[in-house]
Amino acid sequence: MGFTVSNYSFLGLQKQNWYVTIKGSYQVKKIESSMPGDNSAGLNLPGLVTPYYTITFSVYFKASPNSQVINDQYMSFNIQALPNPAVLYLIIYDYVKGQLDPNHTLTFTDG
């Protein structure tokens, strides 16, 4: 599973089509984030513990789906709740596309 980004300049090279894919799998790490309690007005309220997950993965850049890897990069992002694993792959790919094209000017072709 991957996608092609059309007319993209990567590593200072001339613009061309690149095939982008995730290296095998991803890692999920649960983080417990705590906020201090509220002691104002003598209420002595307990702090909140808000869990979130860090998703870490490696992205491969290739000239085509079957060619050798030209570059790989580690990326990560945080998510508040874990979806179904199949949906998580789609979220990861959407994240990568957003990192490559924050201004929404490139063309992506899934597959």
Side-chain angles (χ1 to χ4, degrees), residues 82-108:
L82 284 179
N84 163 322
V87 173
L88 186 53
Y89 266 110
L90 296 175
I91 293 170
I92 289 170
Y93 279 110
D94 284 345
Y95 175 82
V96 172
K97 289 175 184 177
Q99 295 299 301
L100 293 176
D101 187 22
N103 298 320
H104 307 287
T105 58
L106 297 172
T107 301
F108 297 101

Side-chain angles (χ1 to χ4, degrees), residues 23-99:
K23 175 187 173 184
S25 63
Y26 53 85
Q27 292 182 331
V28 176
K29 183 176 180 182
K30 185 175 181 179
I31 309 292
E32 297 285 342
S33 174
S34 61
M35 297 176 65
D38 185 359
N39 245 353
S40 64
L43 294 176
N44 211 13
L45 297 173
L48 298 174
V49 175
T50 306
Y52 65 91
Y53 301 87
T54 297
I55 313 301
T56 305
F57 50 94
S58 185
V59 180
Y60 281 172
F61 293 86
K62 305 176 181 185
S64 67
N66 296 321
S67 65
Q68 72 181 69
V69 174
I70 295 171
N71 188 25
D72 64 85
Q73 296 178 0
Y74 283 101
M75 290 186 179
S76 67
F77 64 91
N78 296 329
I79 192 169
Q80 289 183 332
L82 284 179
N84 163 322
V87 173
L88 186 53
Y89 266 110
L90 296 175
I91 293 170
I92 289 170
Y93 279 110
D94 284 345
Y95 175 82
V96 172
K97 289 175 184 177
Q99 295 299 301

